[in-house]
Amino acid sequence: VNREEDSFSQISIAKILLMQIKSQIPVRFDNIPNVVKRRNIMDGKSVTPQEEKRRQLKEILPEAFSEGRIDWEKLKAALGEDVNFSSERYALNWAGKSDAFRILQTPSAKTLIPVKSESVNFDETGHIFIEGENLEVLKILQRSYFGRVKMIYIDPPYNTGNDSFVYPDRFAESTEEYQKRIGEKDEDGYMTREGLFRKNSRENGQYHSNWLSMMYPRLFLAKNLLRRDGVIFVSIDDNEVHNLRLLMNEVFGEENFISEIIWKKKHAYGRGHTFIIPQTEYILCYAKNCENAKSFGITYSEDKINEYKHEDERGKYRLLRLWFTAPRGAYIRPTLQYKLYTPDGKTVDSVTGQWLWSEERMKKEIGVNNVVFAEQKDGTVRAFKKDYLSSHEAEKPTSYYDVATTDDATREFNALLPEVKESMFTKPSILIGSLISWATFWESNDNQIILDFFAGSGTTAHAVMDLNKKDGGNRKFICVQLPEPCDEKSEAYKAGYKTIADIAKERIRRVIGKMEQDDAGLSKKNRIKKEEKAKQEFDLFGKNENPANPENQENPVQDSGFKVFRLADSNFKQWRSEPGKNIDVLQQQMMEFTDPLAPNATAENMVCELLLKSGRDLNSKVEHKHNCHCINSGELVLMLEKADEKTVDAVIRENPEKVIALDRLFEGNDQLKTNTALRMRDAGIEFKSI
């Protein structure tokens, strides 16, 4: 409102509108400024008097509205009325928050089953891809992966007004109804969009609340999986960055906020923007506990790392000369002039007659194996010090990151899957790889787990494998993606990809194939060049041998595979405690539970479910012997096929910590079951039947 041209103030107009809204008196436009009268009359829809009044009031006092509705307390406060807010404390609240917390606390009756036919090197790999609804999957992983994940990266829906996503929305329904809904499938076995997805449009009365209800339980469960020194990165744009920051403050604690990274996602071009072309997105970074989190660092360039060509138990190092390099006679210091001998009594040549260290320090450094003696071609012996890469202060990343754009991500994706022929709105793998390298800078070979439960097209998996190949690391990814149906009119669907999860799995397979092809395609010319370079490096010591690495060990073999698991119903029947059941229904259910196994249960699937429920991870070593499944070299034994005296004897000889057996195996032989339990107890083995 232009106060210079009109006698009415904003508050005066608001009071008139408020009075008319409450009394339903038709609005008179005589005394309302022209700027208030403007409305879109070309949208093809009629406008009711109430809608027009609300529109006018929102134009004057936008702060009095929340999610498109009038907040009467805020309106009264804006008008100067005395207001006692029901809860005057700093807190993030939204419609459905308590319901979101209840869905978080509801245990999952689902499990994961292995899908070896869609995996690569299933029995050798440590990488994991899980196809299923991520809230359920996060609940399933709680026991096995609690406090084990080093880093989480997610790229959730941005809530742009066009997103369709899953969130725990229908809280009035029963648990069974909810489970049925999230498992709704078409005739081919794929989840239907109607069963899982609803568009969260801006016209929705709980537009922001729905998104917060979707994110809250997932972030809460994700925090449980992080290690004490773990960190999480979350990509977001302008639509929800403000709410996400408040939400993560609540879940992780404001004191564990690390940074709000600004990523330049594209160059300065674009159309269809009224005011400003958006060039950036945000990546919020939080630690599980900042006091325990390790410092970030930027991976050195390849040329820099190549300088540190030697390695021992303390890490990578390079050799620097220990003699003073100034001209002979310059800067003479008597304390640096002394005779030095190798452990076997040979004289070490000081070249310039002066050492870099005093004799006392030299002896100390030799004692801690920080000095290398190398014989030269002319027979002289020289001394070198070990300069460790880890001894240098790492460069720190900055909060503004310009590394690659969405266009780069599209080109990268299309190069791997050209048949899809459409944008998947992916992030560039080099961006995700940079975040991973920052968080894992000091322990790249520590079998760290990187989790992404909004995996999309599999960019995080791509980034982990690329980074491992680059620095020889042994990080493992766990990626979770909902089998979101592809549009039947899309090129992806026509190419045979029914779901986004199918696209992600194929992308990972092609990344593996490309890496293997690159390794196999090393030309003879390049191999010769590499060998010549190595020979020149060893000539420093006068022989074709590296004294710090005499075996000339090669880089460790990279993990080139991934296991696929799918969210599925439990292998064991679930008791349905529904109100209003009559005695006949209860008796029927009790009869069904004489055998607790579900009709579709298999031994392989039961092994996977019992691993998770007993706290073992999905990469546990499983051996089949004695008609049983032995887990992690006898740590746990699962008796799922047969139970007799011979089998029990063999299991006891394995001396496991715990044995789980199917109760049905002892059917009709109570004596065997009792004897088995007693013998296990005497052997100090925990025994449980199910």
Side-chain angles (χ1 to χ4, degrees):
V1 176
N2 189 332
R3 296 189 182 186
E4 296 180 357
E5 297 180 3
D6 196 279
S7 59
F8 281 87
S9 68
Q10 292 187 40
I11 291 180
S12 299
I13 297 169
K15 286 185 175 179
I16 292 174
L17 289 170
L18 176 58
M19 178 183 67
Q20 292 171 338
I21 288 171
K22 287 187 173 181
S23 63
Q24 296 299 304
I25 299 173
V27 177
R28 295 188 56 175
F29 289 88
D30 300 337
N31 296 321
I32 298 178
N34 291 331
V35 69
V36 180
K37 299 179 187 177
R38 292 180 306 193
R39 63 184 178 89
N40 183 7
I41 60 174
M42 300 299 292
D43 60 4
K45 298 178 181 178
S46 61
V47 179
T48 65
Q50 293 82 3
E51 290 173 337
E52 181 64 18
K53 294 169 188 174
R54 282 194 292 268
R55 185 196 64 77
Q56 294 165 6
L57 184 60
K58 188 174 183 179
E59 200 163 326
I60 299 170
L61 294 175
E63 67 270 25
F65 286 75
S66 177
E67 295 186 331
R69 298 182 179 182
I70 298 174
D71 186 319
W72 293 105
E73 289 184 341
K74 290 181 179 179
L75 178 58
K76 290 178 181 178
L79 296 176
E81 302 287 343
D82 291 332
V83 177
N84 291 320
F85 288 102
S86 58
S87 178
E88 291 189 351
R89 63 186 181 89
Y90 184 76
L92 174 64
N93 218 337
W94 66 88
K97 182 177 182 179
S98 57
D99 291 324
F101 195 79
R102 280 196 291 273
I103 203 71
L104 157 68
Q105 295 176 314
T106 303
S108 175
K110 298 285 185 177
T111 187
L112 301 178
I113 60 173
V115 189
K116 293 187 175 181
S117 61
E118 298 182 13
S119 308
V120 177
N121 299 329
F122 187 95
D123 295 324
E124 290 79 32
T125 184
H127 298 310
I128 294 170
F129 183 92
I130 302 173
E131 182 178 310
E133 200 277 312
N134 57 15
L135 182 61
E136 296 291 315
V137 172
L138 287 170
K139 290 179 180 181
I140 292 170
L141 297 180
Q142 290 295 300
R143 180 171 295 182
S144 296
Y145 289 90
F146 187 92
R148 295 188 56 194
V149 174
K150 170 60 180 176
M151 174 187 150
I152 297 173
Y153 170 79
I154 56 173
D155 187 12
Y158 284 180
N159 210 23
T160 61
N162 296 310
D163 298 296
S164 297
F165 54 77
V166 182
Y167 52 88
D169 49 354
R170 304 177 193 175
F171 296 104
E173 64 192 359
S174 67
T175 300
E176 185 173 357
E177 288 172 335
Y178 171 71
Q179 290 172 346
K180 285 181 180 179
R181 179 169 60 81
I182 68 168
E184 285 182 357
K185 299 177 181 179
D186 61 20
E187 59 185 14
D188 295 324
Y190 293 97
M191 293 184 181
T192 62
R193 179 172 291 277
E194 292 75 17
L196 279 167
F197 301 94
R198 287 197 301 155
K199 184 177 179 180
N200 194 39
S201 65
R202 292 183 184 276
E203 289 73 28
N204 190 328
Q206 295 183 353
Y207 170 68
H208 293 292
S209 293
N210 287 338
W211 188 85
L212 288 166
S213 291
M214 182 272 294
M215 291 294 295
Y216 180 72
R218 289 163 173 82
L219 288 173
F220 197 100
L221 292 169
K223 180 187 176 184
N224 291 341
L225 300 180
L226 282 175
R227 290 173 13 179
R228 286 169 56 88
D229 62 347
V231 293
I232 181 171
F233 295 88
V234 184
S235 284
I236 199 68
D237 71 357
D238 292 311
N239 288 282
E240 293 290 355
V241 64
H242 51 297
N243 283 329
L244 180 62
R245 179 81 176 265
L246 292 173
L247 181 62
M248 295 189 73
N249 281 348
E250 179 167 320
V251 175
F252 289 88
E254 188 174 359
E255 67 279 7
N256 293 315
F257 170 73
I258 292 178
S259 181
E260 183 171 301
I261 302 163
I262 300 172
W263 170 53
K264 184 178 179 181
K265 67 176 182 177
K266 67 179 181 180
H267 302 294
Y269 61 84
R271 296 180 180 178
H273 303 289
T274 305
F275 300 106
I276 296 175
I277 299 171
Q279 277 187 273
T280 59
E281 288 184 6
Y282 310 95
I283 304 172
L284 297 188
C285 179
Y286 281 74
K288 185 171 187 177
N289 188 320
C290 270
E291 293 182 0
N292 297 321
K294 292 181 173 63
S295 174
F296 288 175
I298 297 178
T299 301
Y300 294 113
S301 67
E302 188 172 351
D303 291 340
K304 179 72 172 178
I305 293 174
N306 287 339
E307 293 180 20
Y308 295 79
K309 58 181 69 72
H310 315 300
E311 188 170 2
D312 62 14
E313 67 279 359
R314 285 183 284 173
K316 292 181 179 294
Y317 66 89
R318 62 180 177 177
L319 295 176
L320 300 179
R321 60 188 65 186
L322 272 172
W323 59 89
F324 196 75
T325 56
R328 188 180 294 273
Y331 311 107
I332 297 299
R333 293 181 59 183
T335 56
L336 301 180
Q337 294 178 316
Y338 51 87
K339 293 288 185 179
L340 181 63
Y341 302 95
T342 65
D344 57 0
K346 293 182 180 180
T347 301
V348 182
D349 183 13
S350 62
V351 183
T352 62
Q354 189 167 263
W355 299 108
L356 286 176
W357 294 335
S358 67
E359 187 172 10
E360 182 181 356
R361 182 180 175 187
M362 183 71 76
K363 290 179 180 179
K364 181 180 178 181
E365 297 290 347
I366 292 173
V368 296
N369 193 29
N370 202 25
V371 176
V372 174
F373 298 107
E375 186 175 340
Q376 307 299 294
K377 291 180 179 180
D378 59 4
T380 60
V381 179
R382 301 263 172 87
F384 301 86
K385 70 173 181 177
K386 295 180 179 180
D387 177 49
Y388 287 93
L389 180 62
S390 60
S391 67
H392 296 272
E393 179 67 22
E395 296 180 45
K396 296 293 186 293
T398 64
S399 60
Y400 178 76
Y401 205 49
D402 180 9
V403 61
T405 65
T406 52
D407 289 338
D408 296 320
T410 300
R411 283 190 289 269
E412 177 182 57
F413 176 81
N414 290 340
L416 287 169
L417 286 90
E419 67 274 21
V420 174
K421 298 178 184 177
E422 56 191 336
S423 174
M424 293 295 298
F425 303 104
T426 64
K427 296 291 187 293
S429 64
I430 190 174
L431 171 67
I432 313 306
S434 296
L435 302 178
I436 297 170
S437 67
W438 296 355
T440 62
F441 184 77
W442 298 112
E443 43 181 337
S444 61
N445 291 294
D446 196 31
N447 289 308
Q448 298 158 102
I449 298 174
I450 312 300
L451 171 64
D452 182 352
F453 50 90
F454 284 98
S457 68
T459 306
T460 298
H462 186 169
V464 169
M465 301 183 91
D466 265 355
L467 191 59
N468 282 347
K469 183 175 177 62
K470 181 179 178 181
D471 66 8
N474 195 28
R475 309 167 187 87
K476 305 299 181 185
F477 66 74
I478 299 178
C479 289
V480 184
Q481 176 54 38
L482 187 75
E484 178 182 348
C486 295
D487 191 323
E488 294 186 9
K489 297 179 181 179
S490 67
E491 294 296 328
Y493 189 89
K494 295 175 184 176
Y497 302 106
K498 290 193 173 182
T499 69
I500 301 299
D502 290 338
I503 294 174
K505 288 178 286 187
E506 183 59 24
R507 177 179 184 173
I508 300 171
R509 294 187 197 105
R510 295 195 185 184
V511 168
I512 292 170
K514 185 177 183 300
M515 288 181 175
E516 292 176 345
Q517 185 179 10
D518 290 345
D519 290 341
L522 186 63
S523 67
K524 182 178 180 180
K525 180 179 179 181
N526 288 339
R527 286 198 300 270
I528 293 173
K529 185 177 179 181
K530 185 177 180 180
E531 291 168 2
E532 287 295 326
K533 182 179 179 182
K535 187 176 184 303
Q536 291 172 8
E537 291 170 352
F538 296 155
D539 281 345
L540 168 67
F541 304 97
K543 50 189 175 182
N544 196 17
E545 179 183 336
N546 182 337
N549 186 14
E551 293 90 13
N552 192 22
Q553 297 176 356
E554 297 181 358
N555 289 332
V557 176
Q558 296 301 304
D559 185 344
S560 56
F562 70 108
K563 295 181 172 79
V564 175
F565 294 87
R566 185 170 290 137
L567 185 68
D569 292 329
S570 173
N571 294 277
F572 303 93
K573 295 174 183 175
Q574 304 297 311
W575 182 268
R576 302 183 305 276
S577 55
E578 298 177 8
K581 282 187 175 179
N582 59 42
I583 188 65
D584 293 333
V585 174
L586 289 173
Q587 287 179 345
Q588 177 63 31
Q589 189 172 180
M590 292 176 69
M591 290 296 295
E592 291 175 358
F593 267 75
T594 56
D595 182 1
L597 291 187
N600 60 343
T602 66
E604 185 177 59
N605 292 349
M606 281 191 286
V607 168
C608 183
E609 181 167 359
L610 292 172
L611 278 178
L612 292 166
K613 290 184 175 178
S614 62
R616 275 72 179 182
D617 66 43
L618 294 170
N619 285 323
S620 297
K621 182 182 178 183
V622 180
E623 298 176 279
H624 187 267
K625 55 184 179 181
H626 315 307
N627 295 313
C628 300
H629 293 85
C630 298
I631 313 301
N632 296 333
S633 301
E635 180 182 306
L636 169 70
V637 172
L638 304 176
M639 297 174 62
L640 307 175
E641 301 170 12
K642 187 177 182 180
D644 53 25
E645 292 287 351
K646 184 178 179 180
T647 302
V648 173
D649 290 343
V651 170
I652 292 176
R653 284 196 299 271
E654 291 288 331
N655 193 29
E657 297 175 11
K658 184 176 182 178
V659 173
I660 299 176
L662 290 180
D663 197 62
R664 65 188 293 187
L665 300 179
F666 300 97
E667 187 176 354
N669 197 343
D670 292 340
Q671 182 179 359
L672 175 62
K673 181 179 179 182
T674 302
N675 289 339
T676 299
L678 292 173
R679 292 182 63 191
M680 295 281 185
R681 185 187 65 184
D682 291 343
I685 301 170
E686 183 184 351
F687 176 72
K688 182 178 181 180
S689 63
I690 54 175

